[in-house]
Amino acid sequence: MARLLVLGGTGEALALAEALVGAGHAVTTSLAGRTAAPKRPAGALRSGGFGGVEGLAEYLTRERIEALLDATHPFAAVMAGNAAAAAARCDLPRLKLLRPPWRAEPEDRWQEVVSVESAAAALPAGCHALVTVGRQELAPFLARTDVALLIRTIEPVEALPGHARLVRARGPFAVADEMALLEAEAIERLVTKNAGGEAAAPKLLAARRLGVPVVMVRRPSPPEGPTVPTVEAALGWLDSVIR
Ligand code: NAP
């Protein structure tokens, strides 16, 4: 049995915590604390930032953590970098669990961009855009007062300007519903980050079927070091580092 910290906030982190608890480990999952009613992971839960690399390193030492499993979202780049730095400082094994990115099919019409700022800049003036990048990254889109924005988020967004409307929803989504939304709202651009995973993929299939162009924000690179795509592979890694 090992004392493990899972950095969470994803479906993979929930599955990982369940598998690790099932394997007899003492697991704590950490959440940033931004979601009002997060799903409860197996094992223990803590919530809120650690206070940078320093704070995380102190936590790892204080809690006598033996391995750090970073299962944060592919776009949670700050936390991933902090995890790598703190684990190195404490001389602890650390793994990044990273779900595979979505890949364009030949019939897709993707414009890949490197940031949400460039995604907002890529929208043609006067178009109707469905924006699904998360509520933390809306600013560059809200600045596009020449675009009609339909913004989809899980959590509420306060005080949107007149050219933006909010639809709140949490996946998993169905392709038929996604097609109905794109058609009903006469969407001409779908904006998304390349999160990967099953739950949000139907919007891409809907866009493909309807010929709607997609503005796709590329992922940041993960920190150097071991990276696996599945929970099963993460368990294999743990067996190799914990004796
Ligand atoms: P981020 O920009 O990489 O991290 C910003 C700060 O938030 C970190 O420095 C850390 O604060 C705190 N933090 C982030 N994840 C944490 C965790 N699991 N436990 C404790 N503190 C955490 O992170 P983000 O992109 O805002 O994502 C925040 C959370 O939402 C993550 O758990 C992520 O998995 C989840 N999420 C993110 C996205 C996305 O698109 N970015 C989408 C879905 C879910 P301190 O420096 O104080 O430790």
Side-chain angles (χ1 to χ4, degrees):
M1 187 204 73
R3 293 176 64 81
L4 307 173
L5 178 64
V6 173
L7 300 175
T10 59
E12 288 78 15
L14 291 170
L16 179 61
E18 192 172 341
L20 293 170
V21 168
H25 296 295
V27 181
T28 298
T29 295
S30 173
L31 298 177
R34 310 239 171 88
T35 306
K39 288 189 188 151
R40 244 203 110 78
L45 173 65
R46 71 162 299 285
S47 189
F50 295 95
V53 176
E54 190 79 20
L56 178 55
E58 277 169 22
Y59 177 93
L60 294 170
T61 306
R62 188 172 67 243
E63 297 296 323
R64 293 175 284 112
I65 298 295
E66 293 163 79
L68 175 56
L69 296 106
D70 174 6
T72 53
H73 191 270
F75 280 81
V78 178
M79 190 68 248
N82 288 357
R89 194 179 291 188
C90 299
D91 199 19
L92 278 187
R94 175 205 54 97
L95 179 72
K96 179 76 195 169
L97 171 56
L98 201 56
R99 60 173 94 134
W102 294 314
R103 306 244 180 241
E105 299 290 327
E107 61 273 36
D108 281 323
R109 300 169 63 193
W110 285 15
Q111 179 179 359
E112 292 196 79
V113 295
V114 295
S115 65
V116 285
E117 288 75 17
S118 34
L123 296 175
C127 81
H128 287 219
L130 174 60
V131 177
T132 63
V133 297
R135 71 184 166 133
Q136 315 275 354
E137 309 206 69
L138 294 176
F141 300 96
L142 299 181
R144 287 294 307 268
T145 52
D146 57 340
V147 172
L149 300 168
L150 185 64
I151 290 168
R152 183 161 76 187
T153 61
I154 298 172
E155 298 290 320
V157 178
E158 302 294 315
L160 283 177
H163 67 294
R165 282 184 303 126
L166 184 69
V167 50
R168 282 184 61 196
R170 185 195 291 267
F173 298 97
V175 180
D177 295 339
E178 297 292 57
M179 289 178 72
L181 178 69
L182 294 179
E183 287 191 304
E185 298 286 344
I187 296 299
E188 297 163 302
R189 289 290 184 284
L190 166 64
V191 185
T192 185
K193 298 193 288 196
N194 197 337
E198 303 279 313
K203 64 188 170 192
L204 297 174
L205 202 50
R208 183 183 305 158
R209 289 192 184 158
L210 296 172
V212 173
V214 175
V215 181
M216 180 65 74
V217 183
R218 279 206 193 109
R219 291 177 171 193
S221 303
E224 277 185 29
T227 301
V228 294
T230 62
V231 168
E232 198 183 15
L235 296 179
W237 171 85
L238 188 64
D239 281 346
S240 74
V241 297
I242 298 285
R243 284 161 290 276

